[in-house]
C-alpha cells in the first residue's frame, strides 16, 4: 500500500486513518456486492431453472473464498503493514515474484495489454457479457486487473509503485472507453439503434448524392447540418463505401479528435511526453462522458493550436473555428470566440498578472474574429445543401435560440434521476467533473496556480454561461439521457485544466511530492469515474446460437435475450423488403421513413428517392406539436401518395403504459405519426427481428378524419 504524507496543517496519522477507513469500506463493499450479484446468478430460481448446477455452485464457493482472501490481504496491508510485509517477503522468497517482471522485460506491457483485451473480449464479444452485467462484479474484476497491471507496469519495486498504479488505471480506463466507442463497427445492414441507419443516410447526402435516384440540381433536405455531413461523409468520397467503413469512421471521429485536443493542450516544451500522452487519454475519457460531437472538438483544436501563436494566425484560425462551429450547430457559434478570449487572457505571459485595458485588446479582437460567421450572416452562412428549415434566423441568434426553446417542452424533471436517465443530469454532471474540480481547487489554494481577478472572471463567466445553456438544453424534450448538451461546458472546463497545467500546475505536480500522495485517490478517480459507464455498457452486439441464448436465459431468467438476428434472418428480411419494393414501386412512390441506409448501400433497388418525412424530422416536428407541418403529411397519406412505406414497427397503445424511458416522446410520436399513419395504411408485414415494418394503403379510410380529430391532431 501507498504511504501518504500529510497535507500542510493536517496530521499525518489523521489523513492516513481517513484513507484507511475509506479504502477498507470500499474493498469490503465491493467484494460483498460482487459475491451477492454472483449468488443471484447462480442460485436464484427462475423460469429456466430451479436449482444451481453443481459446477456453478462450486465456482461460487471458490469465488467467495477468493474475495475473502482478497479483502483480508488488503485489510492486513492497510491496518497491519508490518505483518503484511512479513507475509509478502515469505511469498517473494517462495515464488520469486519480482524476477517474473524482470524476465518479461518490455513484454510485460504486452502481457498487460492481452489481459485487458481478454476482459474486454469476454464482456463485449461473448454471451458471458450478457450474463455478467452487474456493475459490482465487473468493478471487482477490474480492480483485480488493475492490481496485476500495476505489478507489471512498475519499476524497481517489490509489488507496485505509484506510476505503475496510475498507468494501470489509465490504461484500462482508456481501453474500456475505446472499446465502448468502437463496439458498433459491424456490417449489419439494419439500424443498430434508433437513429443509426438514417444518420448514415444523412451523412451521404453531399459526397454520395449519386447513390440516389433524385433530381441532380436539387439539394436533398435533411435535418443534419452541413458541417456534420461534410465530416462524417468523407468515406463516400471513395469509389465503394460500405456500412462497416462508415461505422469505423464514426468511431474514429468520436475518439481520436478528443485525444488530439488533449495533446495540443497539455504537451509543452518543458513537460514530459509521457505526461502529455497520459493527459491526452484522460481528455478523451473526460469528453466521452458527453459524448461531445466531433465538429465542436475540431473547433476547439483550432482554437487551442493558436493559444499563444502570433495574432494574425490566431485571427484566421479562430474565424475558421467559429465558421465551422456555426455550420455544424448554430448554438455553438459563441464557443470558439469565448474560448479564444479566455485562453489569450490566461496565457503564460500573463501568469498571475493584474490585467490592464491593453491586455484585453487582443482577446476581444480574437473573440470578434470567432463571431464573424454570425456577424457577416449571409456571406458566411452554410450552403443550402441538404438542410431542413428549422426557423433559425442567422441575423438574430438569441431570438432563434429562444424560439426553439419555446417550440418544444422543457422537462425539468430530467435534471434529477428518472427512467430516461437513472443518474439524472445534475448528479451525472457532478460525478463527471468532481475530480477535476477538486484538483483545480487544490492547485489554486496551494498557490500553484495564481490567476488574477480578471483572469478568474474570464474563466468563471464562460463556465457559468455554458453550464446554464447546457442544463436548459438537456431538459428539452427529446434529450436528457446523457450529457451531450453539456458539450461547451465540458470543453471549457478542459481548457481551464490546461490553463492551470500550463500556469504552474505541471511544475507543482513534479516538485511538490509531499502533496501528491494525498491527491492520489482523486487522480485515480479522474480516470475511473469516466470509464465506469463504458465498463457497464460493454455487451456483445452480435447473433448467438440457440445454445448460447439458452445459457443466458438459464442464468438471468430473461425471456428475450439482446442479440442481433442470425445471418439467415437478415437475408430473409432483406429479401422480403426487396420483394415488396419491386412489387409496389411501379404502383407509386415508396417512402422510407426509416432504414434509409438500405438505399445508401444498395441493399434495395435504386428507386426514386422520397426525401420528405424522414424519421428524425417527423420526431422533431412531433416534439414541437407542429400541426402545420403534419397537415402536408396527412394530406399525402389521405391521397395515398405512397404505394409502400418502410418504417419502424408502428403501434397505438390501447391502455395506459407504465412510465419508461422517453415516455413523453413516445406519446407524441404515437399521436402525431403512428396513429395517423396506421389509420391510412396497414401493415403488409412486420419483421420484429430487424425492427422493420412495411405498410400499404388501406381500402377504407372514411373514418380517419374523425379519428384524427379524436386524437387531437386535427381541429
Amino acid at each position: 500500500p501507498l504511504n501518504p504524507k500529510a497535507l500542510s496543517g493536517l496530521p499525518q496519522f489523521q489523513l492516513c486513518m481517513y484513507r484507511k477507513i475509506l479504502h477498507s469500506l470500499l474493498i469490503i463493499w465491493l467484494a460483498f456486492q460482487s459475491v451477492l450479484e454472483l449468488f443471484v446468478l447462480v442460485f436464484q430460481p427462475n423460469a429456466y431453472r430451479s436449482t444451481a448446477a453443481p459446477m456453478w455452485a462450486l465456482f461460487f464457493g471458490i469465488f467467495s473464498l477468493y474475495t475473502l482472501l482478497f479483502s483480508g490481504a488488503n485489510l492486513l496491508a492497510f491496518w497491519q503493514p508490518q505483518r503484511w510485509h512479513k507475509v509478502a517477503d515469505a511469498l517473494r522468497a517462495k515464488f520469486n515474484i519480482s524476477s517474473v517482471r524482470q524476465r518479461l522485460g518490455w513484454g510485460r506491457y504486452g502481457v498487460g495489454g492481452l489481459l485487458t483485451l481478454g476482459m474486454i473480449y469476454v464482456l463485449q464479444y461473448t454471451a458471458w457479457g450478457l450474463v455478467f452485467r452487474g456493475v459490482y462484479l465487473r468493478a471487482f474484476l477490474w480492480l483485480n486487473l488493475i492490481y496485476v497491471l500495476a505489478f507489471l507496469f512498475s519499476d524497481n519495486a517489490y509489488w507496485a509503485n505509484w506510476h505503475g498504479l496510475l498507468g494501470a488505471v489509465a490504461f484500462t480506463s482508456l481501453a474500456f472507453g475505446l472499446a465502448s466507442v468502437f463496439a458498433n463497427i459491424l456490417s449489419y445492414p439494419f439500424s443498430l439503434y434508433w437513429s443509426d441507419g438514417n444518420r448514415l443516410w444523412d451523412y451521404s447526402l453531399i459526397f454520395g448524392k449519386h447513390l440516389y435516384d433524385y433530381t441532380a440540381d436539387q439539394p436533398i433536405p435533411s435535418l443534419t447540418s452541413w458541417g456534420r455531413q461534410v465530416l462524417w461523409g468523407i468515406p463516400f468520397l471513395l469509389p465503394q463505401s460500405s456500412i462497416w467503413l462508415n461505422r469505423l469512421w464514426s468511431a474514429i471521429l468520436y475518439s481520436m479528435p478528443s485525444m488530439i485536443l488533449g495533446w495540443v493542450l497539455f504537451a509543452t516544451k518543458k513537460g514530459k511526453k509521457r505526461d502529455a500522452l497520459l493527459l491526452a487519454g484522460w481528455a478523451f475519457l473526460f469528453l466521452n462522458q458527453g459524448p461531445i460531437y466531433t465538429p465542436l472538438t475540431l473547433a476547439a483544436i483550432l482554437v487551442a493550436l493558436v493559444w499563444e501563436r502570433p495574432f494574425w494566425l490566431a485571427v484566421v484560425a479562430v474565424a475558421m473555428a467559429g465558421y465551422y462551429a456555426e455550420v455544424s450547430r448554430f448554438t455553438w457559434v459563441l464557443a470558439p470566440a469565448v474560448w479564444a478570449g479566455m485562453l489569450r487572457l490566461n496565457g503564460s505571459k500573463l501568469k498571475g498578472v493584474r490585467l490592464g485595458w491593453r491586455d484585453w485588446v487582443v482577446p476581444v479582437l480574437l473573440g470578434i474574429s470567432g463571431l464573424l460567421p454570425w456577424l457577416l450572416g449571409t456571406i458566411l452562412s452554410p450552403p443550402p445543401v441538404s438542410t431542413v428549415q428549422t426557423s433559425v434566423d442567422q441575423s438574430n441568434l438569441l431570438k432563434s435560440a429562444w424560439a426553439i426553446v419555446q417550440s418544444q417542452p422543457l422537462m425539468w424533471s430530467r435534471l434529477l434521476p428518472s427512467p430516461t436517465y437513472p443518474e439524472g443530469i445534475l448528479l451525472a454532471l457532478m460525478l463527471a467533473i468532481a475530480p477535476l474540480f477538486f484538483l483545480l481547487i487544490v492547485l489554486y489554494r496551494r498557490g500553484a496556480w495564481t490567476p488574477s481577478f480578471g483572469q478568474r472572471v474570464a474563466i468563471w463567466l464562460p463556465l457559468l454561461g455554458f453550464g446554464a445553456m447546457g442544463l436548459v438544453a438537456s431538459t428539452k424534450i427529446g434529450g436528457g439521457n446523457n450529457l451531450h448538451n453539456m458539450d461547451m461546458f465540458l470543453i471549457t472546463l478542459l481548457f481551464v485544466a490546461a490553463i492551470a497545467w500550463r500556469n504552474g500546475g505541471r511544475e507543482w505536480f513534479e516538485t511538490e511530492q509531499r502533496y501528491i500522495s494525498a491527491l492520489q485517490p482523486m487522480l485515480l478517480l479522474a480516470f475511473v469515474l469516466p470509464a465506469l459507464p463504458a465498463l457497464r455498457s460493454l455487451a456483445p452486439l452480435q447473433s448467438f446460437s440457440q445454445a448460447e441464448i439458452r445459457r443466458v436465459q438459464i442464468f438471468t431468467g430473461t425471456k428475450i435475450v439482446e442479440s442481433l438476428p442470425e445471418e439467415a434472418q437478415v437475408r430473409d428480411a432483406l429479401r422480403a423488403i426487396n420483394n415488396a419494393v419491386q412489387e409496389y414501386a411501379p404502383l407509386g412512390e415508396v417512402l422510407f421513413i426509416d432504414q434509409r441506409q438500405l438505399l445508401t448501400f444498395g441493399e434495395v433497388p435504386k428507386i426514386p428517392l422520397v426525401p420528405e418525412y424522414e424519421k428524425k424530422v417527423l420526431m422533431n416536428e412531433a416534439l414541437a406539436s407542429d400541426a402545420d407541418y403534419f397537415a402536408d403529411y396527412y394530406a399525402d397519406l389521405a391521397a395515398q401518395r405512397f404505394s409502400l412505406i418502410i418504417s419502424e414497427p408502428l403501434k397505438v397503445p390501447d391502455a395506459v403504459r407504465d412510465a419508461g424511458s422517453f415516455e413523453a416522446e413516445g406519446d407524441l410520436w404515437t399521436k402525431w405519426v403512428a396513429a395517423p399513419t396506421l389509420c391510412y395504411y396497414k401493415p403488409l408485414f412486420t419483421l420484429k427481428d430487424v425492427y422493420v415494418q412495411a405498410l400499404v394503403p388501406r381500402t377504407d379510410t372514411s373514418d380517419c378524419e374523425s379519428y384524427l380529430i379524436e386524437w387531437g391532431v386535427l381541429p
Side-chain angles (χ1 to χ4, degrees):
L2 302 169
N3 183 23
K5 296 185 178 180
L7 279 170
S8 177
L10 186 63
Q12 180 176 344
F13 78 91
Q14 193 176 19
L15 177 64
C16 292
M17 182 65 69
Y18 290 153
R19 287 186 58 174
K20 287 178 181 179
I21 293 173
L22 289 175
H23 289 176
S24 300
L25 291 176
L26 176 62
I27 292 294
I28 294 172
W29 179 253
L30 186 58
F32 172 76
Q33 290 294 334
S34 62
V35 170
L36 184 61
E37 287 179 347
L38 186 61
F39 176 85
V40 172
L41 287 174
V42 173
F43 292 103
Q44 182 170 309
N46 57 51
Y48 300 93
R49 65 119 193 274
S50 57
T51 59
M55 181 186 68
W56 282 102
L58 176 62
F59 175 77
F60 174 79
I62 295 173
F63 180 81
S64 300
L65 179 61
Y66 173 75
T67 57
L68 285 174
L69 293 174
F70 180 87
S71 302
N74 278 274
L75 294 176
L76 181 64
F78 293 155
W79 295 97
Q80 298 291 333
Q82 298 300 326
R83 291 187 179 182
W84 167 249
H85 287 314
K86 291 180 180 180
V87 175
D89 289 339
L91 291 173
R92 177 173 57 179
K94 185 173 182 62
F95 298 104
N96 199 16
I97 297 175
S98 299
S99 64
V100 173
R101 184 170 51 205
Q102 296 174 356
R103 289 196 301 268
L104 286 173
W106 286 96
R108 56 201 169 111
Y109 298 106
V111 173
L114 289 175
L115 290 173
T116 304
L117 290 177
M119 181 174 173
I120 292 173
Y121 176 79
V122 170
L123 295 178
Q124 187 156 289
Y125 298 102
T126 73
W128 296 113
L130 297 176
V131 174
F132 300 118
R133 298 299 296 265
V135 62
Y136 292 106
L137 187 56
R138 291 188 174 200
F140 184 75
L141 295 175
W142 184 16
L143 180 61
N144 281 264
L145 179 64
I146 288 173
Y147 275 28
V148 175
L149 265 61
F151 163 73
L152 291 173
F153 293 172
S154 297
D155 293 313
N156 301 322
Y158 162 59
W159 180 251
N161 57 24
W162 163 244
H163 293 294
L165 178 62
L166 181 60
V169 171
F171 179 78
T172 53
S173 297
L174 184 60
F176 295 147
L178 289 174
S180 67
V181 172
F182 283 79
N184 293 337
I185 306 174
L186 301 172
S187 296
Y188 181 67
F190 296 99
S191 292
L192 295 174
Y193 49 87
W194 189 81
S195 61
D196 171 54
N198 283 21
R199 285 291 185 202
L200 294 171
W201 173 79
D202 283 333
Y203 298 147
S204 71
L205 297 183
I206 291 181
F207 300 133
K209 187 180 177 183
H210 61 280
L211 299 170
Y212 307 103
D213 183 356
Y214 193 72
T215 308
D217 59 346
Q218 292 294 320
I220 302 176
S222 168
L223 190 65
T224 302
S225 66
W226 174 80
R228 291 175 62 185
Q229 286 177 333
V230 168
L231 182 61
W232 265 272
I234 289 176
F236 291 101
L237 292 171
L238 300 174
Q240 295 290 332
S241 183
S242 66
I243 194 169
W244 183 91
L245 179 63
N246 279 266
R247 285 171 174 156
L248 172 63
W249 178 240
S250 181
I252 292 173
L253 290 180
Y254 273 115
S255 55
M256 296 301 112
S258 297
M259 296 186 193
I260 294 173
L261 176 59
W263 175 267
V264 171
L265 287 174
F266 295 104
T268 59
K269 292 181 179 180
K270 296 181 180 180
K272 299 176 182 177
K273 301 303 181 185
R274 181 187 63 185
D275 294 341
L277 284 173
L278 187 70
L279 291 170
W282 168 78
F284 158 71
L285 291 170
F286 182 74
L287 296 182
N288 192 49
Q289 295 176 105
I292 309 300
Y293 283 129
T294 309
L296 186 62
T297 306
L298 295 180
I301 291 173
L302 278 175
V303 174
L305 283 171
V306 294
W307 183 346
E308 296 188 287
R309 298 290 183 179
F311 174 71
W312 66 270
L313 182 61
V315 166
V316 174
V318 174
M320 292 173 58
Y323 173 66
Y324 185 58
E326 185 208 14
V327 299
S328 299
R329 176 174 284 183
F330 83 98
T331 54
W332 290 342
V333 66
L334 296 175
V338 172
W339 292 335
M342 182 183 71
L343 291 180
R344 188 61 65 137
L345 286 169
N346 285 274
S348 59
K349 295 180 180 179
L350 297 175
K351 179 179 177 182
V353 175
R354 183 177 180 180
L355 300 178
W357 69 269
R358 291 184 178 86
D359 298 317
W360 291 84
V361 174
V362 170
V364 169
L365 292 176
L366 288 177
I368 292 174
S369 70
L371 293 174
L372 281 178
W374 174 27
L375 297 175
L376 298 181
T378 56
I379 298 177
L380 293 179
S381 62
V385 177
S386 63
T387 56
V388 170
Q389 293 296 325
T390 55
S391 67
V392 176
D393 182 2
Q394 299 290 345
S395 63
N396 196 331
L397 185 65
L398 294 178
K399 181 180 178 181
S400 297
W402 181 245
I404 290 179
V405 169
Q406 287 184 311
S407 69
Q408 297 180 352
L410 299 181
M411 307 185 69
W412 295 102
S413 61
R414 289 187 178 169
L415 292 177
L416 303 175
S418 67
T420 301
Y421 194 18
E423 293 83 359
I425 297 296
L426 288 177
L427 177 59
L429 181 62
M430 286 189 289
L431 290 174
I433 67 176
L436 178 55
F437 248 103
F438 179 85
L439 293 171
L440 290 174
I441 291 172
V442 169
L443 286 176
Y444 178 73
R445 293 294 300 271
R446 297 298 164 187
W449 172 40
T450 56
S452 65
F453 174 77
Q455 291 169 327
R456 294 197 299 272
V457 170
I459 288 172
W460 277 108
L461 285 182
L463 283 175
L464 294 175
F466 290 147
M469 292 170 61
L471 289 176
V472 173
S474 296
T475 64
K476 187 172 70 69
I477 190 171
N481 70 324
N482 58 30
L483 298 178
H484 83 274
N485 284 311
M486 302 302 302
D487 45 15
M488 292 184 290
F489 173 80
L490 291 175
I491 292 182
T492 303
L493 191 55
L494 183 67
F495 277 131
V496 175
I499 290 171
W501 178 256
R502 292 194 179 197
N503 287 276
R506 180 185 61 81
E507 294 86 350
W508 189 84
F509 274 101
E510 290 178 354
T511 58
E512 297 295 329
Q513 294 298 324
R514 64 196 183 100
Y515 296 135
I516 301 304
S517 59
L519 300 178
Q520 286 169 349
M522 200 57 61
L523 290 170
L524 295 176
L525 282 177
F527 285 91
V528 168
L529 290 180
L532 269 177
L535 177 63
R536 293 173 61 184
S537 70
L538 293 182
L541 192 60
Q542 61 194 68
S543 60
F544 294 109
S545 66
Q546 290 301 314
E548 290 173 317
I549 292 176
R550 182 67 177 175
R551 186 183 302 126
V552 175
Q553 291 174 331
I554 289 174
F555 276 99
T556 63
T558 304
K559 181 179 180 181
I560 300 177
V561 176
E562 300 175 8
S563 67
L564 295 180
E566 296 180 357
E567 186 176 347
Q569 294 173 301
V570 173
R571 289 197 303 267
D572 291 343
L574 288 174
R575 187 181 302 113
I577 295 171
N578 273 272
N579 291 340
V581 170
Q582 292 173 356
E583 179 181 353
Y584 286 92
L587 306 179
E589 295 180 277
V590 177
L591 170 64
F592 277 77
I593 291 178
D594 197 13
Q595 305 292 346
R596 292 195 174 190
Q597 80 284 354
L598 298 179
L599 295 167
T600 305
F601 299 104
E603 299 288 354
V604 296
K606 192 173 182 178
I607 57 176
L609 174 68
V610 181
E612 302 98 324
Y613 311 131
E614 186 268 330
K615 181 169 71 170
K616 297 189 305 301
V617 178
L618 288 173
M619 176 59 86
N620 188 65
E621 300 303 331
L623 297 181
S625 298
D626 190 344
D628 293 337
Y629 171 85
F630 281 104
D632 293 336
Y633 178 59
Y634 301 153
D636 286 336
L637 293 178
Q640 297 188 343
R641 172 186 169 185
F642 312 112
S643 62
L644 179 70
I645 295 177
I646 302 296
S647 174
E648 66 176 43
L650 302 178
K651 58 183 179 180
V652 179
D654 55 4
V656 177
R657 297 180 290 106
D658 293 333
S661 177
F662 291 111
E663 179 193 20
E665 290 82 353
D667 290 342
L668 289 172
W669 173 262
T670 299
K671 174 181 178 180
W672 292 98
V673 180
T677 304
L678 290 174
C679 188
Y680 289 105
Y681 282 71
K682 63 181 180 180
L684 176 66
F685 57 77
T686 300
L687 305 172
K688 294 182 179 180
D689 292 328
V690 296
Y691 206 63
V692 173
Q693 187 176 69
L695 302 110
V696 295
R698 292 183 182 273
T699 55
D700 183 11
T701 60
S702 57
D703 294 334
C704 284
E705 185 173 352
S706 59
Y707 176 76
L708 297 183
I709 292 174
E710 179 183 348
W711 266 85
V713 298
L714 289 180

